Amino acid sequence: MAYQDCLRIIGPLERRSMEVARRRQMALTKPPGSLGRLEELSVLLAGMTGQTRPRLDRKAVIVMAADHGVAAEGVSAYPTEVTAQMVANFARGGAAINVLARAAGVRVVTVDMGVRAPLGEFPNVRSLRVGPGTRNFLHEPAMTRQEALLTIETGIAVALEERSRGLDLVATGDMGIGNTTAASAIIAVLAGCTPVQVTGPGTGLEPARITQKAQAVDVLSKVGGFEIGGLAGVILGAAAHRIPVVLDGFIAGAAALLAVRLAPEAGAFLIAGHRSAEPGHRIALKALELEPLLDLDLRLGEGTGAVLAMPLVEAAARILDEMATFEEAGVSDRPDPA
Amino acid sequence: MAYQDCLRIIGPLERRSMEVARRRQMALTKPPGSLGRLEELSVLLAGMTGQTRPRLDRKAVIVMAADHGVAAEGVSAYPTEVTAQMVANFARGGAAINVLARAAGVRVVTVDMGVRAPLGEFPNVRSLRVGPGTRNFLHEPAMTRQEALLTIETGIAVALEERSRGLDLVATGDMGIGNTTAASAIIAVLAGCTPVQVTGPGTGLEPARITQKAQAVDVLSKVGGFEIGGLAGVILGAAAHRIPVVLDGFIAGAAALLAVRLAPEAGAFLIAGHRSAEPGHRIALKALELEPLLDLDLRLGEGTGAVLAMPLVEAAARILDEMATFEEAGVSDRPDPA
């Protein structure tokens, strides 16, 4: 699907199903509002899905991996080869995201968007490589504009394919040594602040003099990376099909800012899984106008914070669907305030 | 079991298993510390259970219900009969706690500690009634000292019985119209502040002039309730058998303060599931020196906040047990800092 076609079908929240959900929340056997943010979230889920009592049984985390030319600048404590080694770890089920996804009943979809070092043969890793990692954006654009569009369209395609396998709720995950540097640059440009505010001092990143009005695709092509563009596509593809998206941390924040720059209405389908310990994540969440569900000092990535939050999102939906009403349960509601 | 015998066997955290867990966390395929509070929690779970890689597969929420004489003062928006009606709702599986427990794979153990209105016949409700609700503590002690001891010993017995059915992690839950008033009084006395600080202005509660050094059993007998004493017993019984306890909100905070006043070492077995929207809960958490896992503006009780947090606790344990190490996965660890 050309990405413009995807953007065109992303619609607003469905107000009618939200109203039905809101009325049902008031009739359930609990003081109104006593389940706090879960109640608001259940109403939003109704609006996203267009269903008055959505079920979120089929869940996936899409973990996109790629390498970054800027890693040559020593921006990470780990060598570039770790990206490929961790993809192998995902494939064998030994990484944090595998453990958390198993615990939460979430399937892991690992996608090679452009890992530099050779990967072994892993039938459970999708190979959708845009290239052998991006170029070093301190010296040249990370990728071409065409490559940038390809990452987004690849992400859209992955979302649609996962939807055809059954998908009610999707989380974003990432792996890429050096990708916080690319994400910092994206967030700085799209949230309209300086890279120093996003990354903190001392990263050695040149202040990028790109105007706030820069096109999302331009920004992506200038700094990368393939997996960040891919995740922006996943968000757009999910939003186009009214599938709620649980965002992980900092990298997901950059992908989400790209997605909402391309299609502002995609923002309505986003749920912030957690607030990352990465300093610039607050800036991304503020720009996205999202309040995170968890705040546990996580800074791993891979989709771990999103998958940890998925049971809360599912719980919100199940409360709406499965709880008895006052009338059904024969419980006295409080007298109407006279 | 006499409660003094239970208190005697509550021991400290097992330092040796914590050290093994801490070393393993450093060897797992992720930057050290990148899973934030989950890593600390996994080490604490090792200390609580005495196991280097604890499994928390068998989980229960013990929901204790009772009525409060002080409800006659109009301290709740709901009539007293709602306690019995909600116990029936628990028994039929229609309440919030049932929905959330089903979603999280947690069994619900409902205990009638002294509900006033007649309950129907529910084979899945344990009847361990101490009386038909407490007396109104504005006019007389809520219960006798003997009744107070009985509530605690009943709670201990329930914990031990659930342990014999298999129990790796337990959550506290409560139902009792008027019980936030009793809990406010308990927290005010045991956390050493005034009832106004705990409850906020305008509740009409007389400032209790009980000294901070009052015995926990005295406080419990003066203000109640049966379910709060019962939950203190559940905490003590679980701690005595090294079973981690996930606390729900405000009522659980009062029960936990009673438990740690009786056995300070029981505090090491407590995990705060969430921070309640109830204003005085902050005071209780501070006195317990606990940082909550969730902060979602919940104020329902029933154990809902604790059960929502249980998947996070289980996730922490599974990360420790199931993740691959750098060596196992063939992933390059970062070079030792020279």
Side-chain angles (χ1 to χ4, degrees):
Chain A
M1 183 187 268
Y3 84 97
Q4 294 94 332
D5 295 331
C6 179
L7 303 188
R8 214 168 288 128
I9 58 177
I10 299 176
L13 295 176
E14 173 62 74
R15 297 283 155 190
R16 203 175 34 79
S17 50
M18 290 175 80
E19 195 41 48
V20 175
R22 201 176 279 119
R23 274 204 307 275
R24 183 168 164 82
Q25 276 291 3
M26 298 295 289
L28 298 175
T29 46
K30 56 180 173 50
S34 63
L35 282 176
R37 292 193 52 203
L38 291 196
E39 297 191 21
E40 302 158 24
L41 180 53
S42 75
V43 173
L44 285 173
L45 290 167
M48 294 178 196
T49 58
Q51 295 160 23
T52 54
R53 290 160 77 162
R55 297 288 312 185
L56 306 177
D57 298 323
R58 297 165 302 177
K59 297 176 285 294
V61 56
I62 298 176
V63 186
M64 295 193 148
D67 273 302
H68 292 257
V70 72
E73 305 290 330
V75 293
S76 172
Y78 292 87
T80 303
E81 302 78 59
V82 166
T83 305
Q85 291 166 350
M86 285 301 298
V87 170
N89 199 14
F90 298 157
R92 294 195 197 98
I97 188 61
N98 302 101
V99 175
L100 297 177
R102 274 198 297 275
V106 175
R107 68 177 188 261
V108 178
V109 180
T110 308
V111 183
D112 174 8
M113 292 292 291
V115 174
R116 176 179 293 185
L119 272 177
E121 276 297 309
F122 294 111
N124 58 351
V125 176
R126 298 285 315 271
S127 179
L128 299 170
R129 300 166 62 77
V130 178
T134 55
R135 289 178 284 278
N136 184 343
F137 73 74
L138 288 197
H139 304 307
E140 56 188 322
M143 61 181 109
T144 65
R145 196 184 154 86
Q146 249 169 332
E147 285 171 327
L149 288 177
L150 181 56
T151 64
I152 294 170
E153 291 184 351
T154 302
I156 293 171
V158 170
L160 299 203
E161 190 177 306
E162 289 307 315
R163 174 174 177 262
S164 74
R165 294 171 65 189
L167 186 62
D168 303 313
L169 184 66
V170 66
T172 63
D174 69 276
M175 180 70 220
I177 296 300
N179 68 5
T180 52
T181 303
S184 296
I186 292 170
I187 291 170
V189 173
L190 298 185
C193 58
T194 67
V196 173
Q197 285 174 288
V198 177
T199 57
T203 61
L205 198 64
E206 292 284 308
R209 289 272 169 217
I210 311 170
T211 77
Q212 198 189 333
K213 295 282 177 198
Q215 287 290 317
V217 177
D218 282 350
V219 180
L220 175 60
S221 69
K222 288 212 167 74
V223 299
F226 296 145
E227 83 283 38
I228 301 176
L231 291 172
V234 167
I235 291 166
L236 294 170
H241 291 88
R242 312 197 73 85
I243 298 168
V245 180
V246 185
L247 296 177
D248 192 32
F250 192 61
I251 309 302
L257 283 170
L258 288 169
V260 300
R261 187 60 63 100
L262 290 166
E265 286 187 322
F269 295 86
L270 301 176
I271 297 163
H274 76 121
R275 188 194 320 277
S276 162
E278 194 72 41
H281 193 219
R282 278 166 200 278
I283 293 169
L285 289 175
K286 201 173 161 214
L288 292 163
E289 298 176 28
L290 294 175
E291 191 64 38
L293 289 169
L294 296 172
D295 193 352
L296 297 172
D297 273 332
L298 311 177
R299 53 179 169 81
L300 176 55
E302 299 180 8
T304 50
V307 166
L308 279 167
M310 276 180 144
L312 297 174
V313 180
E314 195 180 355
R318 289 182 66 157
I319 285 287
L320 182 63
D321 185 39
E322 297 180 23
M323 265 186 79
T325 62
F326 282 104
E327 198 176 338
E328 285 163 2
V331 174
S332 313
D333 201 350
R334 59 178 167 183
D336 288 323
Chain B
M1 183 187 266
Y3 84 97
Q4 294 95 332
D5 296 329
C6 179
L7 303 188
R8 215 168 288 128
I9 57 176
I10 299 176
L13 294 177
E14 173 63 74
R15 296 285 155 188
R16 201 175 36 78
S17 49
M18 289 175 80
E19 195 41 48
V20 175
R22 202 175 280 119
R23 274 202 306 275
R24 184 170 163 81
Q25 276 290 3
M26 298 296 288
L28 298 175
T29 45
K30 56 178 172 51
S34 62
L35 282 175
R37 292 193 55 203
L38 291 196
E39 297 191 21
E40 303 160 23
L41 181 54
S42 76
V43 172
L44 285 172
L45 290 167
M48 294 178 194
T49 59
Q51 295 160 23
T52 55
R53 290 161 76 163
R55 296 288 313 187
L56 306 177
D57 298 323
R58 298 164 301 178
K59 295 175 286 295
V61 56
I62 298 177
V63 187
M64 294 193 148
D67 273 301
H68 292 256
V70 73
E73 305 291 328
V75 291
S76 172
Y78 291 87
T80 303
E81 301 79 59
V82 166
T83 305
Q85 291 165 349
M86 284 302 296
V87 170
N89 199 13
F90 298 156
R92 294 194 197 99
I97 189 61
N98 303 100
V99 174
L100 297 177
R102 273 198 299 274
V106 175
R107 68 178 189 262
V108 178
V109 180
T110 308
V111 183
D112 173 9
M113 292 291 291
V115 174
R116 177 179 292 183
L119 273 177
E121 277 297 309
F122 295 110
N124 58 350
V125 175
R126 299 284 315 271
S127 179
L128 299 169
R129 300 167 60 79
V130 178
T134 55
R135 289 177 284 278
N136 183 343
F137 73 74
L138 289 196
H139 305 307
E140 58 188 319
M143 61 181 107
T144 66
R145 193 182 156 84
Q146 251 170 331
E147 285 171 326
L149 289 176
L150 182 56
T151 64
I152 294 169
E153 292 184 349
T154 301
I156 293 171
V158 170
L160 300 202
E161 191 177 305
E162 289 306 316
R163 175 174 175 262
S164 74
R165 293 172 65 190
L167 187 62
D168 303 311
L169 184 66
V170 67
T172 62
D174 68 275
M175 180 69 221
I177 295 300
N179 68 5
T180 52
T181 304
S184 295
I186 292 170
I187 292 170
V189 174
L190 298 184
C193 59
T194 67
V196 173
Q197 285 174 286
V198 178
T199 55
T203 61
L205 197 66
E206 293 283 308
R209 286 276 170 214
I210 311 171
T211 77
Q212 196 188 334
K213 297 280 176 199
Q215 287 290 316
V217 177
D218 282 352
V219 180
L220 175 60
S221 70
K222 286 208 168 79
V223 300
F226 295 145
E227 84 282 38
I228 300 176
L231 291 172
V234 167
I235 291 166
L236 294 169
H241 291 88
R242 312 197 73 85
I243 297 168
V245 180
V246 185
L247 297 177
D248 193 31
F250 192 61
I251 309 302
L257 283 169
L258 289 169
V260 300
R261 188 57 64 99
L262 291 166
E265 287 188 320
F269 295 86
L270 301 176
I271 297 162
H274 77 122
R275 188 195 319 279
S276 162
E278 195 71 43
H281 193 221
R282 275 164 203 278
I283 293 169
L285 288 175
K286 200 172 164 213
L288 292 163
E289 297 176 28
L290 294 175
E291 191 64 39
L293 288 170
L294 296 173
D295 193 351
L296 297 172
D297 274 332
L298 312 176
R299 54 181 168 79
L300 175 55
E302 300 180 7
T304 49
V307 166
L308 279 167
M310 277 178 143
L312 297 174
V313 180
E314 196 180 355
R318 289 183 67 159
I319 284 288
L320 181 64
D321 185 37
E322 297 179 24
M323 264 186 81
T325 62
F326 281 104
E327 200 178 336
E328 285 163 2
V331 175
S332 313
D333 202 350
R334 59 178 166 186
D336 288 324

